[in-house]
């Protein structure tokens, strides 16, 4: 493994450290904020006259503060332990293998990495039972953000159930960092709550809610707030497109997706599963133009037929004809890797290879036979087909062209 390979691998490992680091920073910030506010409150009360009742209140506040601080200390300790475990994992496998040239350590890292990617895919698809099964079996709990994905999934579920309470609490807990990211998720959540009040025709409460939570965003969301205000005059079954869209229940789905994207951004997670990103790196080397082209079933006469000097052959369109895809190409299968390969560019090969459609193997130059329709296959495959036919006829698997084996022409790659 060279230095470039190592840097490329480490680049994919950045999300492994970002999420616990963000959790540690959040816990520390909340710890600091709580300590400053509560100590300030207790200090102000100490400046006044102290009687038994006030002393009891101060003792209760101090005990409550201690409980809260212990909670944040545990969160910090957990995040720190995760960071330490992940750093040690990387150091003892990948980096140690690179420095000592030990391929077994590098292979161990790669094996655990693919398992982590599978777990990441499972967590993103809310398959927590599968992720926990793999995690516990490999004993890699410290390398997986299970709790984080569960929290995100729980809030998404609340939004799909038309409740924004948990999402708003999350925004409040992370408002400092969201402000740095210039993300105003809380506005869209408040706007949806306002729309629900208008939907229920609770007009008075809707106006109060708008004044309390929406008007402060007027400079950044002028048009949306104006439309929200005008919504008061339109019922849910309005035919006006703008206001009909505001009443659309699918907005909750959009909010759920928006929250997920913001949460992933906040914790440094990629928008797509790491498994998909890793596969998308290798797919361009496999993808060819034929992988995305559909073979026409129309039989078109071409100039290549003239080389046969009037040889007769028959062709049919009534059979189940094969398309232009290769049975051995992973990117041709649109149900599997082909779906991921749609968005990646085609590969560029300076030296091309010819693969027989029948055998699925690379054919050497000089071992090719051509049909009158211009289709080329390996000599071995067509010879086997001719031996199986009593009249030594061979049929093109693409368009059904049938011809005697002796009439096939040998071709060469120029």
């Amino acid at each position: 493994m060279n230095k470039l390979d190592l840097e490329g691998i480490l680049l994919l490992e950045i999300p492994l450290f970002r999420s616990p680091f963000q959790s540690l920073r959040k816990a520390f910030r909340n710890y600091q904020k709580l300590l400053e506010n509560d100590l300030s409150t207790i200090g102000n009360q100490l400046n006044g006259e102290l009687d038994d009742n006030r002393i009891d209140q101060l003792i209760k506040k101090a005990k409550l503060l201690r409980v809260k601080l212990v909670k944040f200390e545990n969160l910090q300790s957990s995040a720190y332990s995760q960071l330490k475990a992940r750093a040690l994992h990387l150091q003892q496998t990948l980096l140690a293998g690179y420095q000592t040239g030990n391929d077994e350590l590098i292979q161990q890292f790669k094996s655990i990495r693919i398992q982590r990617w599978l777990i990441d895919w499972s967590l993103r698809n809310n398959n927590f039972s599968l992720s926990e099964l793999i995690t516990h079996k490999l004993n890699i709990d410290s390398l997986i953000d299970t709790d984080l994905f569960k929290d995100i999934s729980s809030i998404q579920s609340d939004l799909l159930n038309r409740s924004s309470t948990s999402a708003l609490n999350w925004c409040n807990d992370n408002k400092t960092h969201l402000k740095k990211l210039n993300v105003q998720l809380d506005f869209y959540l408040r706007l949806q709550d306002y729309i629900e009040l208008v939907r229920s025709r609770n007009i008075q409460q809707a106006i109060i809610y708008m004044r309390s939570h929406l008007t402060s965003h007027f400079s950044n969301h002028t048009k949306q707030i104006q439309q929200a205000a005008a919504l008061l005059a339109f019922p849910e079954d309005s035919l006006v497109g703008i206001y009909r869209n505001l009443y659309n229940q699918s907005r909750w789905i959009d909010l759920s997706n928006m929250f997920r994207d913001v949460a992933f951004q906040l914790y440094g997670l990629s928008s797509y599963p790491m498994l998909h990103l890793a596969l998308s790196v290798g797919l361009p080397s496999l993808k060819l133009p034929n992988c995305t082209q559909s073979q026409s079933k129309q039989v078109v006469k071409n100039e290549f037929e003239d080389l046969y000097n009037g040889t007769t052959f028959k062709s049919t369109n009534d059979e189940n004809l094969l398309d232009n895809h290769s049975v051995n190409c992973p990117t041709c299968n649109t149900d599997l890797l082909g779906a991921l390969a749609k968005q990646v560019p085609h590969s560029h090969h300076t030296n091309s290879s010819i693969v027989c459609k029948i055998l699925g193997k690379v054919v050497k130059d000089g071992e090719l036979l051509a049909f009158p329709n211009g289709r080329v296959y390996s000599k071995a495959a067509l010879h086997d087909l001719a031996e199986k036919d009593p009249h030594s006829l061979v049929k093109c698997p693409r368009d059904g062209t049938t011809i005697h084996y002796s009439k096939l022409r040998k071709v060469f790659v120029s």
Side-chain angles (χ1 to χ4, degrees), residues 57-74:
Q57 291 179 356
L58 290 174
I59 292 174
K60 289 181 180 179
K61 288 184 178 181
K63 289 182 177 179
L64 181 60
L65 174 61
R66 182 177 181 277
V67 172
K68 293 179 179 179
L69 292 178
V70 169
K71 176 184 176 181
F72 285 121
E73 285 177 355
N74 292 335

Side-chain angles (χ1 to χ4, degrees), residues 368-383:
L368 298 170
L369 294 177
F371 278 84
N373 59 8
R375 300 295 184 183
V376 178
Y377 304 93
S378 68
K379 181 179 179 180
L382 295 176
H383 184 267

Side-chain angles (χ1 to χ4, degrees), residues 290-309:
N290 278 353
C291 297
T292 54
Q293 292 177 354
S294 297
Q295 172 66 20
S296 173
K297 294 184 179 181
Q298 294 292 332
V299 177
V300 181
K301 184 175 180 179
N302 57 67
E303 298 177 357
F304 195 81
E305 296 177 9
D306 296 335
L307 298 176
Y308 286 78
N309 299 321

